[in-house]
Amino acid sequence: MSRRRHNRSAEKTLGTSPGTLTYVGVEIEHATKIKRIDYNATDYHIDAPTKLIACQLPVPETPYVHWIDVDGIHEPQVVAALGKQFHLHPLLLEDVLNTEQKPKIDLYDDTVVFVTLKMLHHSRERQEIEIEHVSLVLGKNYLISFQEERSKDIFDPVIERIKLSSGKTRRNGADYLLYALMDVIVDHYFLITERIGEKMDELEDEIVQERATQQTLGILYKLKRELAFIRRTVHPLRDVIATLLREESELIQHNTLPYLHDLADHVNQIIETLESYRELTSGLMDVYYSIVSNRMNSVMKTLTIFSAIFMPLTFIVGVYGMNFENMPELKTRNGYFVVWGVMVVVTIGMITYFRRRRWM
Amino acid sequence: MSRRRHNRSAEKTLGTSPGTLTYVGVEIEHATKIKRIDYNATDYHIDAPTKLIACQLPVPETPYVHWIDVDGIHEPQVVAALGKQFHLHPLLLEDVLNTEQKPKIDLYDDTVVFVTLKMLHHSRERQEIEIEHVSLVLGKNYLISFQEERSKDIFDPVIERIKLSSGKTRRNGADYLLYALMDVIVDHYFLITERIGEKMDELEDEIVQERATQQTLGILYKLKRELAFIRRTVHPLRDVIATLLREESELIQHNTLPYLHDLADHVNQIIETLESYRELTSGLMDVYYSIVSNRMNSVMKTLTIFSAIFMPLTFIVGVYGMNFENMPELKTRNGYFVVWGVMVVVTIGMITYFRRRRWM
Amino acid sequence: MSRRRHNRSAEKTLGTSPGTLTYVGVEIEHATKIKRIDYNATDYHIDAPTKLIACQLPVPETPYVHWIDVDGIHEPQVVAALGKQFHLHPLLLEDVLNTEQKPKIDLYDDTVVFVTLKMLHHSRERQEIEIEHVSLVLGKNYLISFQEERSKDIFDPVIERIKLSSGKTRRNGADYLLYALMDVIVDHYFLITERIGEKMDELEDEIVQERATQQTLGILYKLKRELAFIRRTVHPLRDVIATLLREESELIQHNTLPYLHDLADHVNQIIETLESYRELTSGLMDVYYSIVSNRMNSVMKTLTIFSAIFMPLTFIVGVYGMNFENMPELKTRNGYFVVWGVMVVVTIGMITYFRRRRWM
Amino acid sequence: MSRRRHNRSAEKTLGTSPGTLTYVGVEIEHATKIKRIDYNATDYHIDAPTKLIACQLPVPETPYVHWIDVDGIHEPQVVAALGKQFHLHPLLLEDVLNTEQKPKIDLYDDTVVFVTLKMLHHSRERQEIEIEHVSLVLGKNYLISFQEERSKDIFDPVIERIKLSSGKTRRNGADYLLYALMDVIVDHYFLITERIGEKMDELEDEIVQERATQQTLGILYKLKRELAFIRRTVHPLRDVIATLLREESELIQHNTLPYLHDLADHVNQIIETLESYRELTSGLMDVYYSIVSNRMNSVMKTLTIFSAIFMPLTFIVGVYGMNFENMPELKTRNGYFVVWGVMVVVTIGMITYFRRRRWM
Amino acid sequence: MSRRRHNRSAEKTLGTSPGTLTYVGVEIEHATKIKRIDYNATDYHIDAPTKLIACQLPVPETPYVHWIDVDGIHEPQVVAALGKQFHLHPLLLEDVLNTEQKPKIDLYDDTVVFVTLKMLHHSRERQEIEIEHVSLVLGKNYLISFQEERSKDIFDPVIERIKLSSGKTRRNGADYLLYALMDVIVDHYFLITERIGEKMDELEDEIVQERATQQTLGILYKLKRELAFIRRTVHPLRDVIATLLREESELIQHNTLPYLHDLADHVNQIIETLESYRELTSGLMDVYYSIVSNRMNSVMKTLTIFSAIFMPLTFIVGVYGMNFENMPELKTRNGYFVVWGVMVVVTIGMITYFRRRRWM
């Protein structure tokens, strides 16, 4: 969640005509990696075409599901070329490139379903959440997936499943593939929320066991930011899936619906977990504040007890430090010891008083 | 509400194909216990089949309601076998096993109603709320109930009722049984909320009577967590029952509807009670804080009164402790006694001042 | 609002079959009092039948409205007998007896409208709000009212109106009677909110005029509890009346609708008043806190001023209380008076400083 | 907003039959003033009838719009007489008299539209908002307006417009007149909100420039009360106008609709302004609290600095005030000056320390 | 956001007949600047007519899109003249002039779509957000845009695009132009939110790194005001676009809809960003308060430690400063050194005690 990352995007695009393709994310040097996977229940081909021409629009009658997995969206011309081949709307392509775009779904005339969402990793080195802008374009019998280039392709597990078995993924159409890819991403959200849950538990222990410092609060604040950020990322997904379920696009087959329902369910569960974490953070703040003010109270009591005991004593010894010529007590034989006696009595009195008020 | 319990679930299932059956709850050693109860208004059989084969799908024309009560969901193969016999959807079975699944309802093609919810016990030994994942599958004339294995079967009272009388439960169909089982669970929620209500009363007494310590706040925080947790558990039940009432599934007979309405009513009452408790907790926090700051105020006043009385006195005696050769007062006959008089006057003045400001 | 009153209800009913009649309220010794009032525009009879048999279901063609007013619901057998005579649903009877039941409306097949709500009195002796569980059953040309037994029958004013004039109540049907009884109860809510309003005004005066003590806050908290409680009692009434208006039951005649609209209006007005009181309480909390922290500030300033004035002075006199043999100042003629001068200057300086910082 | 004003209303009406006409507002001595204005595009008559008989129901075919402006609702018999002449529902008349009635709209059988709302003035003498209960009854070609008697008739500007020009008001029907009267009232709300806005600005300046005292907070609290009160008065108007627009009563002509839309717009703008003010007040509270705690901090720092500097010094001089016979330092030649040196070093050290911690 | 700017508007218009054209914004001296741009895919004319007559209503069959760009709305007569030529409703013209009007959409009989919204600039000199009231009137094949006169015409980029290329803007109708102009304004919102985001980051750094002062809070408060203001400005735009999309006005062509969807998307993204900033501000407040109270705590601890160490020491040296004739210790040889030893022990004891309580 590098804070300043998004600063340039608005200025970059200001004043350009809508639909102009500009990449606004982090700059990357390599060429875009493209994989083409054609599969059906009985067969599959995986291809890493170096030339875009290999990604030609498949003939509608092909008995395969065609998946074009584009890893890297920093070359607008690549995206533009694909857009041309598959007759995609310019606004769709703009959203593919706009890494600031929040998750959403767009239906283009019942021939294309466009879903964009965010992949979240927890980067162990940088101790922060990494965001990856992912776009999925579902057509008649093809699916194009776009992702920002990162160290590894997040869709590898799905490719593996296609390779290994002729299971559910292979037997179903491109709509099931859409679901499977979204499911991979949502599963990662669970990982993120669990990591946050663990951190919450640590913080809770620290705070409730009164080991919290000012730093703890800083971490709590950072956690709250992360929670808010994830919520903003996950929340729109609910509408995305609801739209998929409601719109009854011809591209989504009937037997994929239970899976989408299940996915909606997962998303709801994540949102709820986030919500409960958010409540917990404010509960923890309350506990923290109460501990701080209790400590203050205890500090003040200590100070008051010391003052209340030693101020009278210091006064008493001050009295007999005066240099008046006529101070009868000074000349008595036991004056000094009587004063000590008085001081002991005063001290015991004070201590008794504070004990009664339960300050000691 | 063991906090760390859910940590492994996401990692366990990450990357597996959707619909793969994995049990994510606490590990258990025993074999699953299964009971089979067949009953109608005039007759009943109870059977504890050791072999799953005994749970065969009843012929639709049987004049019995068939209830298969599965106690323990730690053996995926058992659940899978039952799923196969009753032609249940793989996602349904996944939800039966997923102890992290929040309460929900799924309708599969008007032939199966699937309800999953949470049983809550208050464990006296561990002083926390124990959760049990319960799933209910309602078919044409059968009902399958799944529960996590705990010390006792939560549905025993219903079995008893079936045994004892040929009352309402016996005279009605599987849909009434579904209601009866849900009712047992909701009744336990009342117990939980009442226990929390008692705790709230105790805390309230402690706080309002100013006996609260830092620990009280810890308990209040724990209570808030519990309240939030129960709310998350009970809240979705409202939608579950609303769906049952709204969907007009053929599996739910007309004369069961008033009972479901009544159940919805109970759930609403629980939710409202929880809501009112939540409000109370924040009210109590306010009272607590005000008491803490009043105490602080009283400590500070004590300190200030002591300082304001003894500082001037100590200064006065300090003056006459100076060793100047030429200090006329020191040589006067009554100087010492005059100083004492001045000090008494100062003290009385100070006390009067603080009395007027109502600090004493 | 005796807090612990509701504790036994859940345990009493746990495990019993739904629809079992159990009275869960305060225990009462007397026999149930029943009145039977038959009236129409021209005539009326009032009867206090000792035997239930007298309450027989009136023949539908009777030209009277039949009102059976049951004062006391602690004898389940009485309620059960009435239920049998009027063919009431067991769940309806359960709700009549369940004093914990929140206000609601149930329509049974367009032959019976069942409304349950709460009567609120302010008990002057016990200085708390007394709740009475009231149920109204509206049938074709009869109405049965159930109330908990208290010192006086809350429906007496309506009985008086029936006796005194052949006015609106007498000219209209049982549906208007239903409205009239609900109206009596809602009118009492106004009394309660006004009493709370007066208390709010007192508290506000106390707090704004800075006469508030820790106790004031306790009262504010109690008031907040009461507000929350009344809100929970009144709020569902909105839905009850909305349902009466919307459902277009044949039992509700067209010309009763404006009266129900008026009642809905009153309920809304009460809810709004309660809402505004709730806002006020949190506003008062803010004012109270600010007063407390201002007081603290003023205490601290006093302490600081005393310390800052007397500490330097005490130090100065301490210097000349040292016993060094070689302290030239001690031997000067005017040393003592110079020191006094220095001390006066220091004191004036300090006072000037604190005046400038506006602490004095 | 005289707080105790509404106290008598509930008791006055308790137990009376619904629809009984009782005036619950402030008591007034004069007779009700009634004006009758008949107008159309070409002509107008204004009449101040002393006898109610002059307000007879106009014949439907009259080519005039008839406006009866009743100034004063303290004589129930006057309102009752008008009600009889125009065949108004008793509940409508009850609402006309009930000055506690919140704004609402009632449609009686498409022959009468009844709107009641509140006029708000800011009274300069009493420095508070004065409320006036206004009711508008729209019939086929007449409009009756009721207002509480105050120093001036709030509808005078509309009467002036009718007199002066044969403009929009004269050319349109009674429905446009209804709009025009409501518009006058809503325009006054703008005045009120602007006055509150100015007060907010003053308070903000006071608080942000740290000139705020405890009194400022009292004013802020009073403002919050006023805001809540105005919101409660204006908010229901939204529904009133929405109902007028939605219900498509035959009494509202098509070309009046844009004007009503515009009015709805104004009401929304006022509600939004109030909402933003409410947010501001809590923002100001935050700033105020932070200033108070900063001041406290600064007071405490001052105290601590004084203590930390003078306590060690006082201790040092105390050491050499001891009277031991064998204290070698006392006899050294420069002992006194060395002690002074040590004390200067200690003081500088302390000051440096507090500078570093940025307390000075 | 000059606070007092809106003060005169309500008084200016109070009592005037609705639809009266009064300009309520800042007073401006120049004459209104008007541009007339006629364009289609192949051709364009730009004209700056000095006489209004040149803006005549174009004949419907013209193969051009006619755009009249009015820069300055301080001359009501100009707006009135245009209104007459294009047969615009008086309320529409009133809204064009009313700079206080919040964003809204009005559809007049499917022949005119009226949109009013706010342009926001960040003025670098005055360090505040400048608001410009913009109104767009879309007719059959024309669009009239009204803007307050400022240093530059905000629609210049669109004029440039029309001049430079015969691209999307030129090829599409007046509805696309409406979209393009709204898009320009929404793009500026992004700039504003990014600037606020940067300020938030600065403040966050200041606060989290504990460099915050009282002033920081003032800035945070100002930021909150700005956020609330922008939210109020942007929020209604959501409804505006939703209405455009929903109403299916004949003036909006089918292929403009995706662009409007995109615009709605942008507005949502801005609203969400603002929402997240608002949450952050309250999170920052919490952190700030916790830092302040931690500082207070640390100040108090310092004071207590000093007091607790030096008070006993000062007492001890005070004891031996007493002048009793009979004080055996004074005469012992090592008394002085023993006292020093005792004092060192006391000091070490105190330090150990505070170390243990972790105050040091």
Side-chain angles (χ1 to χ4, degrees), chain A residues 314, chain B residues 311 314-315 318, chain C residues 307 309-322, chain D residues 306-322 339-340 342-343 346-347 350, chain E residues 306 309-318 340 343:
Chain A
T314 304
Chain B
M311 276 182 164
T314 304
F315 164 67
Chain C
S307 304
I309 289 172
F310 283 104
M311 275 181 166
L313 299 186
T314 304
F315 164 67
I316 290 169
V317 301
V319 166
Y320 296 103
M322 288 197 289
Chain D
F306 267 99
S307 304
I309 289 173
F310 284 104
M311 276 182 165
L313 298 186
T314 305
F315 164 67
I316 290 168
V317 301
V319 166
Y320 296 102
M322 289 196 288
V339 164
W340 264 118
V342 166
M343 292 195 300
V346 164
T347 308
M350 283 296 161
Chain E
F306 267 100
I309 289 174
F310 283 105
M311 277 183 164
L313 298 187
T314 303
F315 164 67
I316 290 168
V317 299
W340 265 118
M343 293 196 299

Side-chain angles (χ1 to χ4, degrees), chain B residues 317-336:
Chain B
V317 300
V319 166
Y320 296 103
M322 289 197 288
N323 295 322
F324 283 101
E325 284 180 1
N326 181 16
M327 285 178 71
E329 300 96 319
L330 295 182
K331 278 134 196 162
T332 56
R333 216 193 131 91
N334 298 315
Y336 176 55

Side-chain angles (χ1 to χ4, degrees), chain C residues 298-347:
Chain C
S298 129
V299 171
M300 293 305 303
K301 276 180 196 165
T302 309
L303 174 59
T304 304
I305 289 165
F306 267 99
S307 304
I309 289 172
F310 283 104
M311 275 181 166
L313 299 186
T314 304
F315 164 67
I316 290 169
V317 301
V319 166
Y320 296 103
M322 288 197 289
N323 294 323
F324 283 100
E325 283 180 1
N326 180 18
M327 284 179 71
E329 299 97 318
L330 294 182
K331 278 136 197 162
T332 56
R333 218 194 130 91
N334 298 315
Y336 176 55
F337 307 103
V338 168
V339 164
W340 264 118
V342 167
M343 293 196 299
V344 168
V345 167
V346 164
T347 308

Side-chain angles (χ1 to χ4, degrees), chain B residues 204 269 286 290 294 300, chain C residues 18 100 214 217 225 289 300:
Chain B
E204 190 181 309
Q269 212 151 328
D286 281 349
S290 84
N294 269 296
M300 294 303 304
Chain C
E100 298 306 314
Q214 180 57 29
L217 218 76
R225 269 194 75 151
Y289 280 131
M300 293 305 303

Side-chain angles (χ1 to χ4, degrees), chain A residues 22-116:
Chain A
T22 329
Y23 171 68
V24 299
V26 185
E27 274 173 51
I28 293 174
E29 300 282 292
H30 331 290
T32 309
K33 288 180 229 149
I34 299 178
K35 283 201 206 81
R36 178 178 168 153
I37 302 113
D38 300 333
Y39 66 87
N40 59 19
T42 53
D43 198 10
Y44 77 91
H45 305 289
I46 295 183
D47 208 6
T50 43
K51 292 188 188 166
L52 268 172
I53 204 72
C55 303
Q56 274 170 309
L57 180 64
V59 197
E61 301 88 85
T62 320
Y64 285 97
V65 172
H66 308 273
W67 173 17
I68 295 166
D69 179 25
V70 183
D71 196 359
I73 54 172
H74 48 284
E75 291 179 300
Q77 70 278 17
V78 173
V79 174
L82 272 165
K84 216 174 162 189
Q85 283 183 359
F86 288 86
H87 304 296
L88 304 175
H89 197 281
L91 286 171
L92 185 159
L93 299 177
E94 201 187 343
D95 288 338
V96 165
L97 289 172
N98 180 8
T99 55
E100 298 306 314
Q101 177 60 46
K102 60 160 195 152
K104 71 162 180 178
I105 186 167
D106 277 332
L107 286 89
Y108 289 91
D109 295 325
D110 217 48
T111 62
V112 162
V113 169
F114 174 64
V115 169
T116 177

Side-chain angles (χ1 to χ4, degrees), chain A residues 3-4 6-11 13-20 89-91 94-95 100-102 104 108-109 210-211 214 217 221 224-225 228 231-232 278 285 288-289 292 295-296 298-300 302-303 306-307 310-311 313-314 316-317 320-323 329-337 339-340 343, chain E residues 157 161 168 176 179 183-184 187-188 190-191 194 198 201-202 204-205 208 210 254 258-259 261-262 265-266 268-269 272 276-277 279-280 283-287 289-291 293-294 296-297 300-301 303-304 307-308 311-312 314-315 318-329 350 353-354 357-359:
Chain A
R3 289 181 308 162
R4 265 169 262 273
H6 54 82
N7 287 349
R8 284 179 319 255
S9 75
E11 271 172 50
T13 57
L14 188 73
T16 62
S17 165
T20 309
H89 197 281
L91 286 171
E94 201 187 343
D95 288 338
E100 298 306 314
Q101 177 60 46
K102 60 160 195 152
K104 71 162 180 178
Y108 289 91
D109 295 325
E210 310 202 9
R211 288 185 289 110
Q214 180 57 29
L217 218 76
Y221 172 73
K224 268 170 97 170
R225 270 195 74 155
R231 205 179 55 235
R232 281 203 310 283
R278 197 166 66 138
M285 285 299 291
Y288 177 77
Y289 280 132
V292 166
R295 268 188 210 157
M296 181 85 92
S298 130
V299 170
M300 293 304 303
T302 309
L303 174 59
F306 268 99
S307 304
F310 284 103
M311 276 183 165
L313 299 187
T314 304
I316 289 168
V317 301
Y320 296 103
M322 290 197 288
N323 295 322
E329 299 97 319
L330 294 182
K331 277 134 198 163
T332 56
R333 217 193 129 88
N334 297 315
Y336 177 55
F337 306 104
V339 164
W340 265 118
M343 293 196 299
Chain E
R161 259 191 269 153
K168 247 176 290 181
Y176 186 90
Y179 155 73
D183 192 52
V184 163
D187 276 355
H188 274 88
F190 276 109
L191 277 185
E194 283 187 359
E198 283 165 34
D201 284 357
E202 277 172 39
E204 191 181 308
D205 286 349
V208 171
E210 311 202 7
H254 187 71
Y259 293 95
H261 269 293
D262 199 58
D265 217 65
H266 288 175
N268 278 332
Q269 212 150 329
E272 239 174 55
S276 75
Y277 285 163
E279 259 180 56
L280 277 187
L284 282 178
M285 285 299 291
D286 280 349
V287 175
Y289 280 131
S290 85
I291 287 171
S293 49
N294 269 296
M296 181 85 91
N297 237 330
M300 293 305 303
K301 276 180 196 164
L303 174 60
T304 304
S307 304
M311 277 183 164
T314 303
F315 164 67
V319 166
Y320 296 103
M322 289 197 288
N323 295 322
F324 283 101
E325 283 181 2
N326 181 17
M327 284 178 71
E329 298 96 318
M350 283 297 161
Y353 173 75
F354 289 121
R357 295 191 72 165
R358 304 221 279 149
W359 291 9

Side-chain angles (χ1 to χ4, degrees), chain A residues 80 142 158 160 173 200 228-229 249 272 275 317 359:
Chain A
Y142 67 91
V158 180
E160 285 311 301
M200 292 284 299
F229 167 77
S249 163
E272 238 174 55
E275 204 49 47
V317 301
W359 291 9

